Amino acid sequence: MGDRLEEEDKEALAALDSVPPKKIQSYSHQLRSNTGGHYNRHPQRQVRKHSLDDNQIGNVDRYCDSSDDDFYPYATSSGVDSSAEEYHQNISQRLDHSVSIDGSGGGNGGSDDSARQPLPEVIANGGTGIFKAPSRAAVHPARPPCLELRPHPLRETQVGKFLRTIACTENQLWAGQESGVRVWNLTDAYKPGLGMGGRARRGDEDAAPFYESSSTSPTMCMIVDSGSKLVWSGHKDGRIRSWKMDQPLDDTPFKEGLSWQGHRGAILSLVITSHGDIWSGSEGGVIKIWPWESIEKSLSLSAEERHMAALLVERSGIDLKSQVTVNGVCRISSSDVKCLLSDNVRAKVWAATSLSFSLWDARTRELLKVYNVDGQIENRVDMSSVQDQAVEDEMNVKFVSKSKKEKPQGFLQRSRNAILGAADAVRRVATKGAGAFAEDAKRTEALVLTADGMIWSGCSNGLLVQWDGNGNRLQDFTHHAHAVQCFCTLGSRIWVGYVSGFLQLIDLEGNLIASWVAHNGPVIKLVVGRGYVFSLASHGGIRGWNISSPGPLDDILRSDLAAKELDYTRQENVKILIGTWNVGQGRASHEALASWLGSAVSDVGIVVVGLQEVEMGAGFLAMSAAKETVGVEGSSVGQWWQDAIGKTLDEGTTFERVGSRQLAALLIAIWVRKSVRTHVGDLDVGAVACGLARAIGNKGGVGLRLRVYDRIMCFVNCHLAAHLEAVNRRNADFDHIYRTMVFSRSSTPNAAAGVSTVVPALRGTNAGERTPEEGRPELAEADLVIFWGDFNYRLFGISYDEARDFVSQRSFDWLRERDQLRAEMKAGRVFQGMREALIRFPPTYKFEKGKPGLGGYDSGEKKRIPAWCDRVLYRDNRTTSTSECSLECPVIASIYQYEACMDVIESDHKPVRCKLNVDISRVDRSVRREAFGNIVQSNDRIRSLLHEFTYVPELVISPNSITLQNQETSMLRITNKSGADDAMYQILCEGQSNIKEDEQPSDYHPRGSFGFPRWLEVSPAAGIIKPDQLVDISVRHEEFHTLEDLVDGVPQSWWCEDTRDKEVILLVVARGSCSIETKTHRVQVRHCFSANTVRIDAKNNSSKRPQGASSVGRNG
């Protein structure tokens, strides 16, 4: 290959040849010597810098000579003369001896590495665009500053405690978790956390102070009942539980109040209607009603009668699905009831499954309409069994008997046919599901009622659909391509939470006002309270966003918080050991693993090991590819390697295995020192195949992503395309891995313990190759990215013998000039913007197995040129070489050990290890929350801005008193006297009282969520009044008769209305279009029964139902 050397290569070789052979010495001589230097002995050599560009190397003034003896500051020459022939004969012996003294080949593996200075580094060009480090700041510049009520906890700390939902009262934020409920008093929202060792357990040490209930079944949904001063929760065990608001709390877990068994399966949704009833939705389309009258009586029972309370409510329940099922045909969907919505404007209830809606009358409980997500009315017949049979028929495999005359197929042909047959089965199932996928994209995920009386639904494809109160689809909008998860609304604003972590603000016309990334996980619930919109992420973090955001208040907060940066900044340090080894389908001895890893872990907190060629062979690779399609990974050999390495690292005592990922021949695994474990977690895994058809895992990458001191770190083990000439393919493999690697939760037992049931984990290679919203790869968003593995870049323009000569002379700087990876990095074609320590160890490929030392280089027929195939590169947050560790540049790494273990002989590659010293700057969330509160409460400009959101337009309401006879209607007029602002109103019922004989009302008893009694209809009960406009509200008495049985003059169906004169107090609650304050007006409504209106029989009662309406009775 020498005839292909370029001119400058020839000149370099000529310069090298001018050095007499007698100057050559072994590693052992250098390591043992203690005098001399290299600079003065070769003054004629041209000085070369170890860099890709002159300005891209750290500490270059300390490493300016072309030789590597400055790495060994006390090296000296052996002074032995020998001819070239003698030299070739003695190379192996001398180098073998040198390696046997120090197996590292690059430094003292057992020495105190902490005293070492960082090694010089080379930096690849092209670190722009997706290869540029992500921007960081003390306060996020692209979103409003937030109140971090509960900082993002590590997933491992939340096992059995994941938050699923939240609900907000006037003074408290309630959260449903997998083991009960918890509550924050919002007066404590700015207080610091309890810290480690306090009342809070790990994961909640930085959260604002909170209180927890006694243990229950997982909480699925929650609703606030302001009328009863209760919070109702639905649970996975089918029970409905009540919790008292604003009760005194201490460290003792508080207990539930009234509870009863509502469903056989999990309760997925709860709602309180405009008449105070609780409706619950469950699996299989089951909807039940729990009448307020039964709940009220149960709540009023004395302690001695409390054992009867649950039974009374359970017996009163009404099963709506059974009421609308005739001859086995159900008029509503049998899918899970995901959402229930009370339309208090019109006294209706919406029940939503994934692909259909049912509309109900809240007062009469009659089914009004069934329609699909497109708004088309459905005459539903449950065809699920027919569809299941069709899928089963499609999946049947037809076996055809082989003719006796056919020639038997060979093993390879049979294997090929089996793989193709399996692929075809997967394809047919996918094709069958293609139509279903289009339907799935329309799945309803959330519902909300807005102030103008419109209903909005959010879909799994990001579509926002506006409906009128009668279930007519009006219009739709798309502002984001990911699935909608939740809504909340206040005044004229609607907040939308997405699975991507985005939070959007739109107006009532559907126009987008603002959008920002609220969390780094799905936003699963939004609620409004105390001037904030609180968002719950799937990982359990809760943030509060001021209802005025985005606006001038954000600019003040952002500036003042940034000014206090030093108060809440904390500095951490962790040392990371990276190990890479192409094991060539072999297994290692304990001694080899100890030499490679065990001798280097004394001062490290994290160990990440990547192996290549763990197992090979066509059968294994094909089976692994098939297993990946169904989310199965790993092998017995891979497990052996993990166990062997774990034993070397003293797993269980010193280190804890956190997780791993295997893709066919590639394996990556991570161990964390127990003293650091509390700050490390949220492990996710990824894999990208780069082998045949980008589907086989003999080549590719496996990755781990985790949080370390609240910073994101990604580790990727790669095996790129082989062969000297395949440079472009190697570059393409890296690019493919970098752009398409997507992380999801691990399925391995040691990592899956932290998996919540809130959001299902994605599995499989590439997990659909979903990328973030900005189009940036997930690896681009990490603070620290480390790539390593068998990159397979070779030495070019040099022959086998010449390479051996340079290795023997330790002229690694000359070999580096022939390194393909270095050339490609300099050209900006691969590993753009990444750093590598200067290589000061011999090439790690290719060796003959079992042959020790450098004498083991391939001497067979092929004589593969030695090469640095096994490498470690990284990228941190630095944008310049002078960046200091801060919240703007939170992760800065440096390499202080980079060496090969030349004494390990179990493979044709030598293992390589690399130690990084990582400085981390993090936020003390507890301290920053306290600073946030101090700014909000003390800054005069902020207080002035918040005062503007207390404005409520003046309303004039007439009359103040209404008297109704049977079936009468009266009008209540509300006038907005403001000339500039819209007024929002909502009418509630403060309570009902029976009129005594002296014409004085008794005590008022509010219904659940301030609902109306069944005899009273108020419409519309909520809406918007334009400036200087008015609205007339219909206040009407409605007959409501239910058959009663009398025993001694006492109605036994005690939830039915009686015939005494009654009085209610209506509350007209007014607010501005974005007001956090309200004003309340009271209107007295009295109903007087006529003497001849008593009861009717059951037959007359049934005849008054509208045609086509379904009879709803009591479920005994």
Side-chain angles (χ1 to χ4, degrees):
M1 299 175 64
D3 56 337
R4 292 184 294 177
L5 296 178
E6 299 177 359
E7 288 300 318
E8 67 176 24
D9 299 331
K10 294 180 179 179
E11 291 174 5
L13 288 174
L16 181 63
D17 291 339
S18 64
V19 182
K22 66 181 181 180
K23 298 292 184 182
I24 299 169
Q25 73 274 355
S26 70
Y27 282 146
S28 57
H29 292 159
Q30 294 179 13
L31 289 171
R32 290 178 301 185
S33 60
N34 57 7
T35 59
H38 208 97
Y39 293 101
N40 297 330
R41 289 188 287 114
H42 299 296
Q44 75 275 19
R45 284 195 184 178
Q46 181 181 1
V47 174
R48 296 182 179 222
K49 293 182 180 181
H50 306 298
S51 63
L52 302 184
D53 289 322
D54 291 346
N55 61 348
Q56 289 186 320
I57 185 167
N59 305 323
V60 69
D61 55 327
R62 296 176 58 248
Y63 300 95
C64 56
D65 191 72
S66 61
S67 78
D68 292 316
D69 276 342
D70 54 322
F71 187 66
Y72 306 97
Y74 305 109
T76 183
S77 301
S78 64
V80 179
D81 265 333
S82 65
S83 65
E85 182 177 358
E86 292 172 334
Y87 156 62
H88 283 295
Q89 292 175 351
N90 295 325
I91 288 176
S92 299
Q93 297 175 6
R94 288 199 296 264
L95 290 180
D96 291 349
H97 176 62
S98 70
V99 172
S100 68
I101 293 178
D102 181 8
S104 69
N108 279 326
S111 64
D112 182 10
D113 297 310
S114 61
R116 292 188 178 183
Q117 294 296 319
L119 300 180
E121 298 174 342
V122 294
I123 309 174
N125 288 319
T128 59
I130 63 171
F131 300 105
K132 185 179 179 181
S135 299
R136 298 287 185 253
V139 183
H140 201 298
R143 69 179 176 214
C146 63
L147 166 63
E148 203 147 19
L149 191 74
R150 190 195 193 213
H152 176 175
L154 292 176
R155 189 185 307 142
E156 293 81 353
T157 68
Q158 300 304 294
V159 178
K161 295 286 186 179
F162 275 98
L163 302 190
R164 295 169 174 264
T165 185
I166 53 176
C168 201
T169 70
E170 185 177 348
N171 300 311
Q172 294 177 317
L173 181 74
W174 291 73
Q177 58 188 17
E178 289 183 314
S179 58
V181 301
R182 65 169 59 180
V183 60
W184 282 267
N185 290 323
L186 293 179
T187 53
D188 299 335
Y190 302 134
K191 290 185 178 180
L194 301 175
M196 292 294 289
R199 176 167 57 84
R201 63 178 173 275
R202 182 185 168 213
D204 282 310
E205 55 269 24
D206 289 330
F210 63 92
Y211 304 90
E212 288 188 301
S213 73
S214 54
S215 182
T216 71
S217 172
T219 307
M220 308 298 291
C221 52
M222 302 181 81
I223 51 171
V224 172
D225 184 354
S226 299
S228 306
K229 301 294 184 183
L230 296 173
V231 173
W232 298 96
S233 57
H235 295 261
K236 191 173 183 179
D237 62 358
R239 293 192 71 84
I240 297 175
R241 293 176 167 89
S242 66
W243 311 90
K244 188 177 179 181
M245 294 183 194
D246 302 321
Q247 60 178 312
L249 299 171
D250 54 29
D251 291 347
T252 304
F254 58 91
K255 296 183 179 180
E256 65 193 65
L258 172 65
S259 70
W260 67 89
Q261 188 70 38
H263 294 261
R264 294 179 179 177
I267 297 176
L268 305 178
S269 51
L270 284 174
V271 74
I272 301 179
T273 70
S274 54
H275 290 283
D277 300 333
I278 295 179
W279 290 40
S280 57
S282 184
E283 300 165 344
V286 177
I287 304 172
K288 288 189 177 182
I289 299 176
W290 311 98
W292 167 251
E293 292 80 5
S294 64
I295 296 171
E296 182 182 38
K297 185 170 182 65
S298 295
L299 290 171
S300 67
L301 292 177
S302 63
E304 294 77 15
E305 301 171 309
R306 193 60 56 85
H307 64 282
M308 292 292 296
L311 184 60
L312 289 173
V313 181
E314 289 172 11
R315 287 183 174 179
S316 71
I318 301 168
D319 188 340
L320 291 182
K321 185 178 181 183
S322 66
Q323 297 293 334
V324 296
T325 300
V326 179
N327 296 328
V329 177
C330 185
R331 295 181 58 196
I332 62 175
S333 172
S334 294
S335 300
D336 296 349
V337 181
K338 301 182 68 173
C339 310
L340 287 171
L341 172 73
S342 177
D343 179 1
N344 293 334
V345 178
R346 306 167 190 87
K348 296 178 180 178
V349 176
W350 290 52
T353 65
S354 293
L355 298 173
S356 71
F357 300 95
S358 55
L359 186 60
W360 305 79
D361 187 302
R363 189 176 70 88
T364 66
R365 304 155 184 171
E366 293 168 344
L367 179 61
L368 303 176
K369 185 179 179 182
V370 179
Y371 46 101
N372 62 23
V373 291
D374 295 319
Q376 299 169 341
I377 295 177
E378 291 187 346
N379 293 317
R380 176 172 294 276
V381 176
D382 194 345
M383 296 293 291
S384 58
S385 60
V386 178
Q387 294 171 353
D388 291 344
Q389 183 61 43
V391 173
E392 184 179 349
D393 292 342
E394 183 67 24
M395 290 293 295
N396 283 337
V397 179
K398 298 179 180 179
F399 294 95
V400 180
S401 60
K402 183 177 60 177
S403 171
K404 295 181 179 180
K405 296 183 178 179
E406 290 180 355
K407 293 183 179 180
Q409 294 177 328
F411 172 76
L412 293 178
Q413 184 63 30
R414 293 198 306 271
S415 300
R416 176 181 180 276
N417 291 345
I419 294 174
L420 291 178
D424 184 61
V426 173
R427 178 192 59 77
R428 285 188 288 107
V429 173
T431 303
K432 177 68 180 176
F437 180 79
E439 289 294 315
D440 288 345
K442 302 177 183 179
R443 289 196 321 265
T444 299
E445 302 290 346
L447 288 174
V448 69
L449 171 70
T450 54
D452 59 354
M454 297 294 105
I455 287 87
W456 291 74
S457 63
C459 304
S460 53
N461 59 359
L463 193 68
L464 305 175
V465 184
Q466 186 186 50
W467 307 78
D468 69 11
N470 296 318
N472 299 312
R473 181 166 172 158
L474 302 179
Q475 53 185 336
D476 54 69
F477 307 86
T478 300
H479 297 305
H480 192 57
H482 294 279
V484 176
Q485 294 287 284
C486 52
F487 288 109
C488 74
T489 182
L490 179 69
S492 61
R493 294 185 165 197
I494 307 171
W495 287 265
V496 189
Y498 292 89
V499 73
S500 62
F502 267 73
L503 183 61
Q504 288 190 339
L505 175 61
I506 63 175
D507 61 22
L508 297 180
E509 286 72 44
N511 301 310
L512 180 64
I513 299 174
S515 178
W516 62 87
V517 178
H519 296 273
N520 62 354
V523 181
I524 60 175
K525 190 67 176 179
L526 293 169
V527 294
V528 179
R530 203 93 171 190
Y532 287 98
V533 173
F534 290 101
S535 59
L536 169 65
S538 61
H539 52 58
I542 301 176
R543 287 174 169 168
W545 313 89
N546 197 283
I547 63 165
S548 66
S549 298
L553 182 145
D554 299 326
D555 297 331
I556 300 171
L557 271 172
R558 190 178 289 112
S559 174
D560 287 9
L561 274 176
K564 296 178 179 291
E565 176 181 348
L566 294 179
D567 294 343
Y568 52 78
T569 300
R570 301 292 180 265
Q571 299 292 333
E572 309 290 349
N573 178 269
V574 64
K575 292 179 173 60
I576 301 175
L577 174 65
I578 303 296
T580 178
W581 190 9
N582 185 324
V583 298
Q585 305 180 69
R587 299 197 184 191
S589 64
H590 178 73
E591 291 73 19
L593 294 176
S595 173
W596 174 35
L597 301 172
S599 61
V601 298
S602 60
D603 61 339
V604 301
I606 300 174
V607 179
V608 197
V609 177
L611 305 178
Q612 307 87 41
E613 296 190 13
V614 171
E615 280 187 86
M616 297 289 282
F620 170 75
L621 295 175
M623 181 59 69
S624 296
K627 289 164 64 176
E628 285 285 336
T629 62
V630 293
V632 178
E633 53 124 332
S635 69
S636 58
V637 176
Q639 190 60 47
W640 180 91
W641 274 101
Q642 293 184 61
D643 294 341
I645 294 172
K647 185 177 180 180
T648 302
L649 298 179
D650 195 19
E651 180 182 320
T653 302
T654 305
F655 283 89
E656 178 181 334
R657 194 187 315 177
V658 176
S660 64
R661 178 70 163 99
Q662 184 173 353
L663 173 66
L666 288 161
L667 174 65
I668 186 172
I670 183 169
W671 288 261
V672 176
R673 189 176 292 272
K674 288 197 169 183
S675 59
V676 183
R677 184 68 178 93
T678 56
H679 306 286
V680 178
D682 280 7
L683 178 78
D684 293 316
V685 299
V688 178
C690 292
L692 180 64
R694 298 284 194 212
I696 305 300
N698 60 320
K699 297 293 189 290
V702 285
L704 303 176
R705 179 179 65 187
L706 74 164
R707 290 171 64 206
V708 179
Y709 290 107
D710 214 30
R711 298 299 174 185
I712 302 300
M713 298 185 182
C714 291
F715 306 92
V716 185
N717 169 36
C718 298
H719 193 184
L720 307 184
H723 304 302
L724 176 68
E725 67 281 359
V727 177
N728 292 337
R729 178 60 190 271
R730 285 189 277 277
N731 295 349
D733 284 352
F734 163 76
D735 194 71
H736 181 61
I737 293 169
Y738 187 87
R739 291 177 184 272
T740 65
M741 181 165 284
V742 175
F743 294 93
S744 59
R745 295 180 183 177
S746 174
S747 62
T748 54
N750 52 356
V755 175
S756 165
T757 55
V758 176
V759 178
L762 297 174
R763 291 296 302 142
T765 308
N766 292 347
E769 299 191 3
R770 180 178 58 82
T771 55
E773 171 68 15
E774 303 86 351
R776 286 173 62 85
E778 292 191 9
L779 285 169
E781 297 301 320
D783 296 291
L784 177 66
V785 179
I786 305 177
F787 268 80
W788 73 87
D790 180 1
F791 294 162
N792 259 321
Y793 286 93
R794 309 302 174 87
L795 299 180
F796 68 95
I798 191 171
S799 68
Y800 173 83
D801 291 334
E802 289 165 340
R804 290 290 300 270
D805 288 350
F806 285 137
V807 172
S808 68
Q809 298 182 61
R810 295 188 61 258
S811 296
F812 298 144
D813 54 332
W814 300 98
L815 286 177
R816 286 192 295 265
E817 297 295 329
R818 309 263 60 84
D819 178 26
Q820 287 179 339
L821 179 55
R822 178 171 177 167
E824 295 302 301
M825 290 171 64
K826 183 174 182 179
R829 290 190 286 263
V830 73
F831 295 105
Q832 292 89 336
M834 292 193 178
R835 300 166 180 262
E836 182 186 25
L838 199 67
I839 297 178
R840 298 183 180 278
F841 52 83
T844 55
Y845 173 83
K846 177 182 192 306
F847 290 85
E848 297 179 19
K849 291 183 180 181
K851 204 167 183 181
L854 299 181
Y857 278 118
D858 183 18
S859 59
E861 181 180 350
K862 292 185 177 180
K863 283 193 175 181
R864 292 179 179 85
I865 301 170
W868 287 298
C869 291
D870 309 285
R871 313 285 277 269
V872 181
L873 291 87
Y874 77 96
R875 188 268 296 156
D876 56 17
N877 282 124
R878 278 178 290 180
T879 54
T880 66
S881 58
T882 58
S883 299
E884 295 184 358
C885 189
S886 66
L887 296 182
E888 288 74 26
C889 181
V891 176
I892 292 183
S894 58
I895 296 176
Y896 65 101
Q897 186 180 25
Y898 190 30
E899 56 197 22
C901 298
M902 306 303 292
D903 59 334
V904 177
I905 59 175
E906 280 89 341
S907 172
D908 57 351
H909 288 250
K910 300 298 183 183
V912 171
R913 64 189 177 203
C914 177
K915 279 190 188 180
L916 295 95
N917 183 72
V918 183
D919 291 321
I920 302 171
S921 184
R922 68 174 180 90
V923 171
D924 187 321
R925 309 281 180 176
S926 185
V927 172
R928 187 166 73 174
R929 182 176 59 252
E930 193 173 17
F932 181 98
N934 291 335
I935 295 170
V936 171
Q937 294 171 332
S938 63
N939 188 289
D940 292 337
R941 290 181 298 165
I942 290 180
R943 287 191 295 179
S944 176
L945 288 169
L946 290 176
H947 182 71
E948 296 177 8
F949 286 87
T950 62
Y951 170 73
V952 179
E954 180 185 356
L955 299 184
V956 175
I957 298 172
S958 64
N960 291 325
S961 178
I962 298 174
T963 300
L964 297 174
Q965 295 292 330
N966 291 345
Q967 305 296 305
E968 282 188 346
T969 300
S970 182
M971 303 307 294
L972 179 68
R973 175 164 290 181
I974 306 176
T975 305
N976 181 6
K977 301 297 288 184
S978 170
D981 297 298
D982 291 348
M984 315 286 172
Y985 75 91
Q986 181 183 9
I987 302 177
L988 306 172
C989 181
E990 186 176 30
Q992 174 179 288
S993 174
N994 294 321
I995 304 300
K996 299 179 181 179
E997 293 180 359
D998 58 2
E999 296 295 320
Q1000 294 300 317
S1002 59
D1003 294 336
Y1004 290 97
H1005 299 286
R1007 298 172 76 89
S1009 201
F1010 292 0
F1012 303 114
R1014 299 192 199 285
W1015 57 265
L1016 184 63
E1017 181 183 273
V1018 179
S1019 179
I1024 301 175
I1025 309 174
K1026 295 295 182 182
D1028 293 326
Q1029 299 294 312
L1030 58 85
V1031 63
D1032 287 327
I1033 310 298
S1034 169
V1035 181
R1036 175 179 172 79
H1037 171 262
E1038 282 286 349
E1039 287 188 3
F1040 187 78
H1041 301 287
T1042 303
L1043 181 64
E1044 297 180 346
D1045 294 323
L1046 298 180
V1047 177
D1048 297 330
V1050 178
Q1052 296 306 292
S1053 299
W1054 38 258
W1055 56 86
C1056 302
E1057 303 290 342
D1058 61 34
T1059 59
R1060 290 172 290 182
D1061 291 349
K1062 305 173 186 67
E1063 182 177 280
V1064 298
I1065 301 297
L1066 297 184
L1067 301 178
V1068 181
V1069 182
R1071 69 168 67 244
S1073 59
C1074 265
S1075 176
I1076 58 177
E1077 298 289 341
T1078 61
K1079 289 183 179 179
T1080 302
H1081 306 263
R1082 284 175 168 80
V1083 177
Q1084 183 186 62
V1085 178
R1086 178 170 291 195
H1087 172 241
C1088 299
F1089 267 92
S1090 60
N1092 60 353
T1093 305
V1094 186
R1095 299 177 180 87
I1096 61 173
D1097 59 28
K1099 185 178 294 185
N1100 292 335
N1101 184 35
S1102 63
S1103 68
K1104 288 196 173 188
R1105 297 189 186 102
Q1107 271 193 339
S1110 301
S1111 172
V1112 177
R1114 180 166 60 91
N1115 179 25

